Amino acid sequence: MTAARDARELFTSLTGRQPDGLWSAPGRVNLIGEHTDYNDGFVLPFAIPQRTVAAVGLRADARGRVMVGSTFADAPVEVGLDELDGLFPTAPGTPPAVPDWAAYPLGVAWALRRAASGSGPFEALDIAIASDVPVGAGLSSSAAIEGATASALNDLWGTDLDRTALAGVGRRAENEAVGAPTGIMDQMASMLGEPDTAIFLDCRSLETRLVPLGIAAAGLAILVIDTRVKHAHSTGGYRERRASCELGASLLGVPALRDVSIADLPHAEELMDDVTFRRVRHIVTENQRVLDTVRLLREEGVRAIGDLLVASHVSMRDDFEISTPELDTAVDTALSAGALGARMTGGGFGGAAIALLEQDAVDAVSDAVDAAFAASGFAAPLLFTVAPSAGAHRDA
Ligand code: GLA
């Protein structure tokens, strides 16, 4: 993993010291359950091997400052810990008061102080960040930054929050410091991942169940197809989808779309316009698909879930309308080249698709996707397999 070496080297070049430690957290792939998290519903993500590393050290500084640097920024940013309450929350619709990339770790420092307000002292520190998680690919590079930073600060400040609380700190940073109105899925996956396991999460109660996947044992693999079409969830479509879901829930008189079942859909259709209804139908059917996937994994194993992955993609393409031509090409080509199932993963409007396929079909499917992208005039996709992996931890 080059991120560990890069984070350590950046720390040393910025401070002239060695860090007190290295903490890392992974990106995630969502197997199924898209846009259901902020509707209090169900999701089934897993952590991927690609990680973000934070090299962090306390520093002797009576003024209580925090400096954060990153390999993808030209210069570090430094602020006083006491200034954080003046910087955040970021006013809705405006950019953060610090560069975007710095709003993630500084937002975590802010949200962690808020969440652990009785503890402290919150000592001055330096943070250097490097990442192996592709940015803007729908693989939660932002949750990985939040998870690595939150784990480091929780240890060094002795705030002693558990993993679920740290996921909440990351989400708060994302929502209120960065200004992206996302749910809790990515942070929970990044904090709680386990090898060969998906996390079945009830986003209302935050109860989790680890679901064994047995992908390699079944002779299968998960191929990620990063379309390289970048997305950002702080703007545009993601926010609009969320607003449609809230409108649908309020027209139905329920706290969240989690409380609507498939049997309620005919009634829902009478109450609302066609677009809102289709947004609602995606969420309601997607929640059911997550439950069905968890049941099939238990009863029949991972080979059985391909059709549910495809149905999820079709629902996102036609009802939720968050796919792109590149994502549809990735999914259609993977399926016609023999994948058992495929779907876009993450928030949509770009990013990555995943395909569930035989291990010995990885090369053929990859070649077919490459050829289809070239034939359509799309930029070459980035293709790699991922195995479900460990969540956030201290590395050194
Ligand atoms: C992004 C958000 C998540 C979730 C997904 C869509 O990844 O960060 O909270 O809403 O989109 O499922």
Side-chain angles (χ1 to χ4, degrees), residues 8-65:
R8 184 185 285 280
E9 282 180 10
L10 177 65
F11 187 95
T12 305
S13 76
L14 290 173
T15 67
R17 325 191 298 281
Q18 286 293 321
D20 293 344
L22 301 183
W23 289 259
S24 69
R28 64 99 189 90
V29 149
N30 189 17
L31 196 55
I32 195 161
E34 224 64 84
H35 286 257
T36 43
D37 61 352
Y38 57 79
N39 288 294
D40 277 3
F42 305 108
V43 293
L44 192 65
F46 61 81
I48 59 175
Q50 288 79 5
R51 302 178 76 84
T52 294
V53 180
V56 186
L58 295 173
R59 75 192 221 193
D61 173 2
R63 294 172 306 151
R65 302 190 60 83

Side-chain angles (χ1 to χ4, degrees), residues 28 30 33-35 37-38 140 182-186 233 238 346-347:
R28 64 99 189 90
N30 189 17
E34 224 64 84
H35 286 257
D37 61 352
Y38 57 79
S140 294
T182 56
I184 191 70
M185 167 170 73
D186 305 345
H233 294 322
Y238 188 97

